[in-house]
């Protein structure tokens, strides 16, 4: 699974993208976020407030209950501020 | 048509080209977003627009298609820049062409409101106190929500 981090999620984790292999019990977006919180201090800080996060799975906005699978591209970012 | 690019654009040329040769076009509306030199009472030296290549284009194409479904449009254009921009520089151009002004005005406003809340761009402002990521504004969500059709939910209300 490929993870992408944007804006301050990239700054706080110190990572723009990484390849991860979560355990099989990580089946949803919510599971993945909980698993990532335990991945290190940078991740824990970046993912401390899940209400400040938006998630896209394969470039589509996703909800906490949406499934994630090996091979997916999952992006984590704050609410968007373009325009 | 949508374009995401680093380079500046010539708004006059872009607008003139929109629907050029199409005699059904009776009105063109355009919005140009610029970098201001102030934010929250603090001077801005520059801002950097980060985006999510791939998803950005996908979302812009989708909101453009949504506008074409809702209004009788002859042509639409969204040009959005990324990278480091200084005050006074152009960020975004949205233009809509239709037979009549109402559809042009409304669709243009709709596109701007929706791209601000759905297209994956993030602004990093350079201030004297340091670089700061711009926070999303509730007023932008409210502006976008005005265009929501009854019985639908926002795609960007994700992971809450």
């Amino acid at each position: 699974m490929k993870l992408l981090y944007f804006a301050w999620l990239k700054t706080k984790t110190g990572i723009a993208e990484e390849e991860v292999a979560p355990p099989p019990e990580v089946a949803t977006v919510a599971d993945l976020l909980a698993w990532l919180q335990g991945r290190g201090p940078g991740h824990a800080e970046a993912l401390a407030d899940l209400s400040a996060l938006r998630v896209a799975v394969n470039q589509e906005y996703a909800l906490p209950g949406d499934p994630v699978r090996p091979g997916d591209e999952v992006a984590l970012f704050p609410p968007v501020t373009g325009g | 048509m949508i374009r995401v690019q680093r380079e500046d654009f010539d708004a006059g040329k872009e607008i003139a080209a929109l629907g050029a040769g199409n005699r059904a076009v009776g009105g063109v509306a355009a919005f140009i977003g610029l970098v201001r030199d102030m934010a929250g009472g603090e001077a801005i030296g520059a801002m950097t627009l980060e985006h999510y290549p791939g998803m950005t284009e996908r979302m812009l194409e989708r909101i453009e298609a949504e506008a074409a479904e809702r209004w009788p449009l002859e042509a639409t254009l969204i040009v959005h820049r990324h990278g480091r921009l200084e005050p006074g520089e152009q960020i975004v151009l949205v233009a809509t062409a239709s037979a009549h002004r109402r559809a042009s005005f409304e669709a243009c406003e709709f596109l701007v409101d929706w791209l601000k809340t759905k297209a994956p761009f993030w602004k990093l402002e350079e201030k004297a106190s340091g670089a700061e990521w711009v926070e999303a504004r509730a007023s932008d969500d409210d502006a976008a929500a005005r265009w929501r059709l009854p019985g639908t939910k926002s795609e960007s209300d994700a992971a809450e």
Side-chain angles (χ1 to χ4, degrees):
Chain A
M1 185 182 294
K2 184 180 174 186
L3 299 183
L4 303 174
Y5 302 89
F6 292 98
W8 53 256
L9 274 128
K10 182 168 66 181
T11 322
K12 286 185 178 174
T13 57
I15 297 167
E17 71 175 78
E18 63 179 335
E19 208 48 60
V20 295
E25 59 268 25
V26 171
T28 65
V29 168
D31 295 341
L32 179 66
L33 296 178
W35 180 73
L36 284 171
Q37 283 171 332
R39 203 168 157 76
H43 284 75
E45 195 204 336
L47 281 86
D49 179 9
L50 295 182
S51 72
L53 273 195
R54 296 294 178 271
V55 178
V57 177
N58 299 323
Q59 305 190 355
E60 294 287 347
Y61 284 107
L63 294 164
D66 287 343
V68 290
R69 299 180 183 86
D72 280 350
E73 176 179 298
V74 182
L76 279 64
F77 47 79
V80 304
T81 56
Chain B
M1 197 195 357
I2 66 112
R3 281 188 351 247
V4 180
Q5 62 188 44
R6 172 75 192 97
E7 324 75 77
D8 197 10
F9 50 83
D10 182 332
K13 267 192 197 155
E14 300 282 359
I15 293 165
L18 188 72
N22 179 351
R23 300 289 179 246
V25 173
V28 175
F31 171 84
I32 300 164
L34 305 168
V35 181
R36 282 190 309 266
D37 64 356
M38 295 288 284
E42 249 193 288
I44 303 282
M47 70 160 58
T48 299
L49 268 149
E50 182 175 307
H51 76 117
Y52 181 177
M55 184 173 175
T56 307
E57 289 82 355
R58 184 192 285 234
M59 294 309 294
L60 291 178
E61 278 165 8
R62 191 167 305 163
I63 61 175
E64 187 180 47
E66 174 94 22
E69 263 184 40
R70 293 201 198 186
W71 287 276
L73 300 171
E74 295 294 332
T76 57
L77 174 67
I78 303 174
V79 183
H80 204 304
R81 296 178 67 195
H82 60 86
R84 190 173 182 276
L85 303 173
E86 294 185 350
E89 284 200 70
Q90 304 184 114
I91 304 171
V92 62
L93 168 67
V94 175
T96 52
S98 181
H100 301 289
R101 69 183 183 285
R102 183 179 294 278
S104 302
F105 277 134
E106 285 186 1
C108 186
E109 200 175 3
F110 164 83
L111 287 170
V112 176
D113 284 345
W114 270 35
L115 86 80
K116 281 185 94 79
T117 56
K118 292 177 191 295
F121 285 97
W122 303 274
K123 289 179 181 142
L124 179 69
E125 291 176 338
E126 296 174 23
K127 300 175 174 177
S129 54
E132 217 173 275
W133 289 102
V134 174
E135 282 194 33
R137 289 198 300 217
S139 59
D140 287 337
D141 288 336
D142 295 343
R146 289 187 301 143
W147 303 102
R148 209 173 290 166
L149 297 172
T152 63
K153 70 181 183 69
S154 166
E155 274 189 324
S156 53
D157 291 344
E160 283 179 318

